Amino acid sequence: MRLIKKIFLFPRIIYFFIPILIISLLFTNFPSIASEISSIKFIGEVTLPKNLTFQKTEVGGLSGITYDVKNNLYYAISDDRGQKGNTRFYTLKIDLSKGSLQKNGVTVVNVTTLLNESGDKFPPSQTDTEGIALTNKGTVFISSEGDVGKLINPFIKEFSLSSGKEITTLPIPNKFLPDKKGKQGIRNNLAFESLTITPDEKYLFTATENALIQDGSAAQPKIGSPCRILQYNLLTNQPEQEFLYQTQPVAPFLNLTGKFASGLPDIFALDDGGHFLSLERSFTGLGFAVSLFQVSLEGADDIHNIDSLLAVDSKNIKPVKKKLLLDLRTLDVVLDNIEGLTLGPKLPDGQRSLILISDNNFNSLQRTKILAFKIKIETPLIRLLRRLLPNLNR
């Protein structure tokens, strides 16, 4: 009788696993199908000491961050334009081994000065480095916003991780470059804040923080701004596609100073199929508004052949899709000028970590903050199995 039961049990096992195998093969052959972030949880913060120095440099202006999984280190770019020190990035250790970010969990362990192609330090006021992304070749790509007032162009350059020396410069499409008449190109301090590379390292993406001059207005109270996401092919080092990203309108709160700023300071590629995390940050007059979105390029129109969105009927252009993941104002945290994000290591429970970092602008009233989150990423296969097997997690 036991033998008969085993004989009948075997086909059932086969019938159970064959559909799973077929589904797995299907999803393997369609990499553009997105993984989804199904939950996000705040797990701690660290505020670096005021006027912190390391190797005779002031640690501040940290505008972008990237994670080195091989060495469990982070590299954070400073946007210092030469007023406090040389163009540089810092190496950080962030301890998440207990599943949360503890009070003394962030340590600065190194600083690297960036050198141009001649091996010289960049002159003061020539760079405004904002974004950073690590490759598997021991290099980092770094973006600079330039300076519109001085007609200094933005750049995206590759540097040696160890020596800091420039290796490669990516070409910037002409529509992004400022002109003497002020009728085209990036707006000052609203250019290439973001930088990310797909996991397969075939593509690099950056985005303007606000609209190009010929594309529309900068963000205003209760009015968003049409940004451009720019895609580079790292096999050819050439720009390819561009996509419209519309920032959310943000209402100021008790804006007694009249100052307002809002935009897209960073994006992070979740996969190889055009799915990202995006970070939007606004100064609202009384503190900051910061939101995280999940973004998809699926169905979005390529606008790289459109030099001016104002010259066409932009209502017919399909922008990227956005889904709000978290409004950080709902947390019990004093927010600052959050400008950088990256995925970190897996936590002890197997879920992935997310790190956000703030730029203190070297301002005595602001602080460098590192915020940590736990995120749950579900693949399409897991989501399907959860529907088929409701008791999967039980």
Side-chain angles (χ1 to χ4, degrees), residues 331-342:
L331 303 176
D332 187 20
V333 174
V334 177
L335 298 176
D336 211 295
N337 185 33
I338 303 289
E339 290 196 351
L341 83 162
T342 187

Side-chain angles (χ1 to χ4, degrees), residues 186-333:
I186 56 171
R187 288 180 158 86
N188 199 44
N189 207 33
L190 294 173
F192 297 147
E193 283 257 359
S194 56
L195 208 59
T196 188
I197 297 173
T198 54
D200 63 8
E201 303 213 352
K202 290 183 179 179
Y203 299 102
L204 176 145
F205 291 85
T206 186
T208 58
E209 187 178 358
N210 266 212
L212 300 179
I213 291 174
Q214 69 270 26
D215 281 346
S217 66
Q220 303 172 40
K222 299 182 181 181
I223 301 175
S225 185
C227 307
R228 286 186 188 238
I229 294 177
L230 173 57
Q231 173 187 312
Y232 282 86
N233 185 328
L234 289 182
L235 301 178
T236 63
N237 284 344
Q238 294 298 311
E240 290 188 332
Q241 300 185 87
E242 297 170 23
F243 305 93
L244 174 61
Y245 180 108
Q246 186 73 39
T247 64
Q248 295 298 111
V250 176
F253 179 69
L254 292 178
N255 195 348
L256 303 178
T257 64
K259 294 182 179 180
F260 179 84
S262 183
L264 173 65
D266 212 356
I267 57 176
F268 183 88
L270 289 170
D271 55 31
D272 303 321
H275 304 97
F276 304 84
L277 280 175
S278 72
L279 175 70
E280 295 188 25
R281 178 264 296 116
S282 305
F283 176 71
T284 64
L286 186 65
F288 293 87
V290 181
S291 294
L292 285 169
F293 295 87
Q294 185 158 337
V295 176
S296 173
L297 302 184
E298 184 179 355
D301 290 329
D302 177 11
I303 59 172
H304 84 276
N305 286 324
I306 301 175
D307 290 333
S308 169
L309 294 178
L310 292 177
V312 300
D313 187 358
S314 60
K315 293 181 180 179
N316 295 325
I317 296 175
K318 293 180 181 178
V320 302
K321 299 175 183 177
K322 294 168 54 182
K323 174 186 175 182
L324 178 65
L325 293 175
L326 178 66
D327 183 340
L328 272 68
R329 289 175 295 184
T330 62
L331 303 176
D332 187 20
V333 174

Side-chain angles (χ1 to χ4, degrees), residues 12 87 94 115 174 207 230 250 272 291-292 300 308 353 369 389:
R12 291 181 184 179
T87 306
I94 300 178
L115 308 173
N174 186 64
L230 173 57
V250 176
D272 303 321
S291 294
L292 285 169
S308 169
S353 59
K369 285 178 170 282
L389 305 171

